[in-house]
Amino acid sequence: MRRARALVLSVAACCCAAAPARGIPAFAALSLQGAQTKAVVLDLGVQQAAANVQQRGADLHLAQIADFPHAVADYSLAPQAGPGTGPSTVEQRLASIGAGISLNDIVAAPAAIRSAAADLLAAQRASDAAMLFARENAVRLYYGALGAIALEEFRRAELTGTLQDRDAARLRARSGESPRLDVMRADVAVEQARADLAQASAQRADAVGALASATGVPSRALSAIAVRAPPPRSQAYAVDAAVARALAVRPEIAALQASIDARHADLAVARNSALPAVTATAGYASGIDAAIPVHGPSAAVRVALPLASPAGSRIAIAKAQLDAVRAQLADARRTIALQVSAAVRDARSASQAARAAGAAREAAARALAAVELGYREGASSSLDIADARRAYVQASVSALVSEYATIQADALLEVLVP
């Protein structure tokens, strides 16, 4: 029975371990690509970024029409000295209609349009970055759920094996082939296996629930596991090459570069605000002046020169905003470089760790088989078997975790270095 129990554990571990070798494990009802697509749709950050794009598009439209002429209409009624020598008062009534334009708007329009267009581009790239973050989170949740399911299955097989061991120990104790102490140790192993299974079941429920929430897929649909052919393995980047590519294509960098262009344009707008406000109107006027009907073309120019110009403060604000975005760009470059470097190293180390953990699991399985053989021959005790089994279970769990960590690291690298 002990040998059968060891075979149960070995088969369970090998099934979990062999899946990555034959193909990438996946949910039958939800592929990794599907999970990323659904997560992007439901992600709050993506939705907020999309709304910001719409807002920036409207801002660009406002900037494009800011220098258009505007229609003007005016009516005035005022007392006026009447004609003749005697004291008399008449009304002056004048109505005019025409068009006006602000020369300041014309001067500021090109820079304002550049600023709004750059802000729109920055919002679009920020939206792309939000999608990337949502995809990254989906990868973590996806393989986190798969790994939790595999671990739960292993713990269930472990419990089945310990129950078989306890039954065998009771039979041997009743027949006098082994001491009662073996039964007590088997009881301890069963309860420990039950505790491990309970913890693994809770972790599985949490992981599957998190994936279901992020993708909008019911948790009950995330139960069947399929093994699919592995996609082409991501290019084995050197760290420097991966960082260089990420800095060239990541949308966070493009968004901040567009923001810098926008802030440069804002600085030009702020400098133009030092000009006096000039408004010109032209149209047609009609009315009564000095009791005489009058009508004809009219024109006016208004110049307003503020006694306390805000231009200096606006320029200072624009420069400060420009400096802030430049600092954000430098920080984003450092962050991405560290993130991608870590992702490349993690992918390499995860692969190496998976190979080492697999070798350790095989060695632990051989050791367990040898100890069980010695026990049957009277050369080993039940305590030796318990120690060997504990080492085997720990090695199997480490191998299982390492295998899914390798798959996740490769998938994350594809997201982080498009």
Side-chain angles (χ1 to χ4, degrees), residues 1-350:
M1 295 299 291
R2 292 182 185 277
R3 182 170 178 80
R5 188 253 184 231
L7 289 175
V8 168
L9 287 180
S10 180
V11 170
C14 289
C15 288
C16 295
R22 297 193 308 267
I24 299 298
F27 290 103
L30 182 66
S31 66
L32 176 61
Q33 184 62 41
Q36 293 182 67
T37 301
K38 292 178 180 295
V40 165
V41 173
L42 296 178
D43 186 77
L44 175 61
V46 173
Q47 295 175 3
Q48 291 176 332
N52 189 42
V53 170
Q54 294 179 346
Q55 177 185 337
R56 294 304 182 183
D59 289 341
L60 175 58
H61 177 69
L62 292 176
Q64 291 170 336
I65 65 174
D67 61 343
F68 278 27
H70 52 275
V72 294
D74 183 63
Y75 177 79
S76 63
L77 175 64
Q80 187 180 47
T85 57
S88 63
T89 302
V90 297
E91 291 182 343
Q92 180 191 51
R93 298 191 301 272
L94 290 175
S96 63
I97 187 171
I101 192 168
S102 170
L103 300 183
N104 299 79
D105 290 342
I106 295 176
V107 172
I113 292 173
R114 289 198 308 271
S115 174
D119 277 334
L120 174 59
L121 178 59
Q124 291 169 340
R125 296 292 79 80
S127 179
D128 294 340
M131 293 180 186
L132 185 147
F133 296 149
R135 290 177 56 213
E136 177 188 357
N137 185 55
V139 169
R140 296 183 187 277
L141 293 176
Y142 192 85
Y143 286 116
L146 284 172
I149 291 173
L151 181 59
E152 183 190 35
E153 292 302 320
F154 179 84
R155 293 300 189 187
R156 184 171 287 110
E158 166 69 9
L159 177 59
T160 300
T162 56
L163 290 171
Q164 292 173 350
D165 274 355
R166 185 174 65 178
D167 292 340
R170 286 173 176 174
L171 289 175
R172 292 171 66 88
R174 283 196 295 266
S175 65
E177 296 180 16
S178 64
R180 181 65 183 172
L181 181 61
D182 285 2
V183 178
M184 298 174 63
R185 287 173 177 164
D187 287 337
V188 172
V190 167
E191 297 308 319
Q192 182 61 54
R194 281 177 175 163
D196 291 340
L197 176 59
Q199 184 178 17
S201 297
Q203 292 174 348
R204 174 194 180 279
D206 291 343
V208 171
L211 178 61
S213 176
T215 59
V217 176
S219 297
R220 61 180 178 275
L222 301 176
S223 57
I225 306 298
V227 178
R228 298 173 178 167
R233 193 173 178 86
S234 57
Q235 184 175 349
Y237 287 110
V239 172
D240 292 342
V243 170
R245 176 169 174 77
L247 292 177
V249 301
R250 286 283 288 268
E252 305 98 299
I253 301 298
L256 289 170
Q257 288 173 336
S259 292
I260 288 178
D261 293 339
R263 302 294 77 76
H264 275 296
D266 288 344
L267 182 58
V269 172
R271 287 170 176 160
N272 289 334
S273 67
L275 299 175
V278 180
T279 303
T281 59
Y284 189 86
S286 177
I288 297 177
D289 185 17
I292 301 174
V294 294
H295 56 82
S298 63
V301 176
R302 180 181 179 185
V303 179
L305 185 62
L307 298 180
S309 175
S313 297
R314 290 175 177 170
I315 292 173
I317 292 172
K319 287 181 176 179
Q321 292 175 341
L322 177 59
D323 292 340
V325 178
R326 283 173 173 166
Q328 291 174 2
L329 177 60
D331 181 71
R333 289 181 181 276
R334 290 192 297 268
T335 299
I336 291 175
L338 290 174
Q339 181 191 43
V340 172
S341 299
V344 173
R345 288 190 290 266
D346 287 348
R348 291 177 181 173
S349 63

